[in-house]
């Protein structure tokens, strides 16, 4: 979600089977499949080791609250309460790994579990203990931001516009098509003009090209006409051109 709100929202829609675009999700690439297989193998190695050393470990525990859902790799009982342990196929912990631990611990606590203030990332070659209290303010802000994000798009029924120059997972092909069709791709538009066009209900190249004659609040008449011509050129022939005489 932090990298691609568009991909996160499409995953959410398709989990509920709510959108026609769900059928055009990209197939996983070979590297992603290989990485997932390696990750599963490492997870099984960790499970075998942890269960040899500890009893009553819960594996792949499904948990959800009113906003989020997930599966905890390992829930380990300790004298300080339950600890979330997560296996990662890397040698160093990343900020996203820590936020994931915070997320799981928070969901479990909301479901009545007596949680420890610590959690653990099981890395290749080492283990890293995390004090969740140090990162809980960051997690609370992230959760609140995600909650506002879901409320906003559930309320208006829209899908977030894909961000340019980022990867969108298995929605990458669809994202690139939408970016190509988005009004922001029309040459000569500025950020303020794009926002005024969207406020007027014009979000795609085709909508701008076929916009009725008239004025749009905040956009000069001559600029609007020039952008409409540009949109028509881009929509019909990306290599097309027109000689404009002064």
């Amino acid at each position: 979600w932090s990298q691609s709100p568009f991909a996160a929202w499409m995953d959410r829609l398709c989990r509920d089977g709510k959108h026609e675009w769900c059928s055009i999700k990209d197939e996983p690439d070979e590297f992603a499949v290989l990485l997932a297989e390696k990750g599963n193998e490492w997870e099984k190695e960790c499970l075998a080791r942890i269960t040899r050393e500890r009893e009553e470990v819960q594996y792949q525990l499904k948990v959800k609250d009113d906003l989020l859902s997930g599966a905890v790799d390992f829930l380990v009982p300790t004298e300080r309460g339950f600890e979330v342990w997560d296996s990662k196929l890397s040698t160093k912990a990343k900020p996203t790994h820590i936020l994931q631990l915070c997320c799981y611990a928070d969901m479990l606590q909301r479901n009545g579990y007596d949680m420890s203030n610590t959690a653990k990332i099981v890395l290749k070659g080492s283990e890293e203990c995390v004090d969740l209290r140090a990162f809980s303010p960051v997690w609370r802000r992230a959760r609140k931001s995600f909650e506002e994000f879901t409320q906003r798009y559930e309320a208006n029924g829209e899908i977030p516009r894909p961000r340019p120059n980022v990867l969108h997972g298995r929605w990458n092909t669809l994202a690139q098509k939408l970016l190509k069709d988005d009004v922001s791709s029309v040459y000569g538009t500025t950020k303020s003009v794009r926002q005024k066009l969207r406020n007027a209900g014009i979000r795609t190249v085709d909508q701008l090209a076929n916009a009725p004659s008239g004025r749009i609040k905040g956009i000069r008449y001559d600029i609007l006409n020039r952008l409409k011509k540009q949109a028509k050129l881009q929509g019909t022939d990306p290599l097309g051109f027109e000689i404009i005489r002064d």
Side-chain angles (χ1 to χ4, degrees):
W1 166 71
S2 60
Q3 175 175 296
S4 174
F6 168 74
W9 196 246
M10 286 304 302
D11 284 340
R12 187 181 179 92
L13 284 179
C14 293
R15 181 193 65 189
D16 301 329
K18 289 183 177 179
H19 205 278
E20 59 184 343
W21 288 347
C22 296
S23 61
I24 55 177
K25 190 174 185 178
D26 294 344
E27 292 296 323
D29 60 57
E30 293 182 5
F31 180 72
V33 172
L34 178 62
L35 201 61
E37 290 174 352
K38 292 293 183 182
N40 290 335
E41 290 173 6
W42 174 237
E43 190 176 283
K44 293 293 174 34
E45 288 181 38
C46 294
L47 175 63
R49 177 163 57 83
I50 293 170
T51 51
R52 281 197 304 268
E53 299 171 354
R54 295 173 176 269
E55 298 178 355
E56 300 179 1
V57 174
Q58 297 184 63
Y59 173 62
Q60 283 293 309
L61 175 67
K62 290 182 171 55
V63 60
K64 65 178 181 178
D65 60 21
D66 58 343
L67 182 65
L68 301 164
S69 63
V72 180
D73 278 1
F74 312 103
L75 187 62
V76 181
T78 71
E79 295 178 354
R80 302 176 301 279
F82 286 101
E83 276 190 350
V84 174
W85 291 19
D86 203 37
S87 61
K88 294 298 179 186
L89 193 65
S90 58
T91 56
K92 292 183 179 179
K94 300 176 182 178
T96 51
H97 298 166
I98 296 172
L99 279 183
Q100 188 177 20
L101 292 175
C102 292
C103 174
Y104 286 151
D106 182 36
M107 283 196 292
L108 287 164
Q109 193 162 37
R110 291 169 185 266
N111 278 273
Y113 284 82
D114 181 21
M115 300 302 296
S116 168
N117 290 321
T118 56
K120 188 174 288 188
I121 304 172
V122 185
L123 302 162
K124 274 285 191 179
S126 66
E127 295 179 354
E128 185 163 328
C129 190
V130 178
D131 186 344
L132 298 177
R133 292 170 296 186
F135 301 96
S136 61
V138 179
W139 162 245
R140 285 196 297 269
R141 287 195 297 272
R143 181 184 171 98
K144 181 175 177 57
S145 179
F146 182 71
E147 185 173 15
E148 292 171 349
F149 163 79
T150 56
Q151 288 173 349
R152 181 168 68 253
Y153 285 101
E154 282 176 348
N156 61 26
E158 293 184 0
I159 293 175
R161 287 186 297 110
R163 292 174 179 169
N165 305 318
V166 301
L167 295 176
H168 301 277
R170 291 179 61 186
W171 299 106
N172 213 49
T173 300
L174 176 60
Q176 296 311 312
K177 181 181 185 305
L178 293 175
L179 283 169
K180 181 180 177 182
D181 294 342
D182 191 83
V183 73
S184 61
S185 69
V186 176
Y187 180 77
T189 58
T190 64
K191 184 177 180 179
S192 63
V193 165
R194 290 193 292 270
Q195 188 56 55
K196 289 166 185 173
L197 288 170
R198 292 190 180 104
N199 291 342
I202 298 173
R203 292 181 167 83
T204 68
V205 175
D206 186 61
Q207 287 174 337
L208 177 56
N210 295 291
S213 300
R215 294 187 177 275
I216 291 178
K217 186 177 179 180
I219 304 178
R220 280 173 26 200
Y221 187 76
D222 60 319
I223 292 176
L224 180 60
N225 278 343
R226 176 171 56 78
L227 292 176
K228 286 174 64 175
K229 288 181 180 179
Q230 180 65 36
K232 286 180 181 178
L233 287 170
Q234 289 184 210
T236 56
D237 181 3
L239 299 179
F241 64 91
E242 177 180 338
I243 298 175
I244 300 175
R245 302 184 185 278
D246 295 330

